[in-house]
Amino acid sequence: MRIFWTFFWTFLLVNMVTYVVSSMIGVAYHFETGTTLAVVATVLILLIAQLIPNEPVHH
C-alpha cells in the first residue's frame, strides 16, 4: 500500500509540474513525459527510503 500511495502522489505532482513548466516555456504538454518522470521519481524515492536507517546511530 505504501508503494501505491507513493506512486499516486508522485504521479499527480509530477504531471502537474510538467504541465505548468511546459506552459511557462511555451511547449506542448506530453502526458507520457510526466508519467515517465513520475515512475523514475517513485523508484528514486523508494530507493532513498530504503537506504536511510530506521534506528538512531550510537557513537
Side-chain angles (χ1 to χ4, degrees), residues 27 37 48-49 56:
V27 297
L37 290 173
I48 290 171

Side-chain angles (χ1 to χ4, degrees), residues 4-5 27 30 39 42 44 50 53 55:
F4 169 76
W5 287 114
V27 297
H30 295 287
V39 169
T42 301
L44 287 174
Q50 289 297 317
E55 297 84 25

Side-chain angles (χ1 to χ4, degrees), residues 2-3 5 7 9 16-17 20 23 26-27 29 35 44 48 50 52 54-56 59:
R2 176 179 58 99
I3 295 171
W5 287 114
F7 176 71
W9 286 109
M16 179 190 65
V17 168
V20 170
S23 294
V27 297
Y29 166 70
T35 302
L44 287 174
I48 290 171
Q50 289 297 317
I52 297 173
N54 289 335
E55 297 84 25
H59 295 290

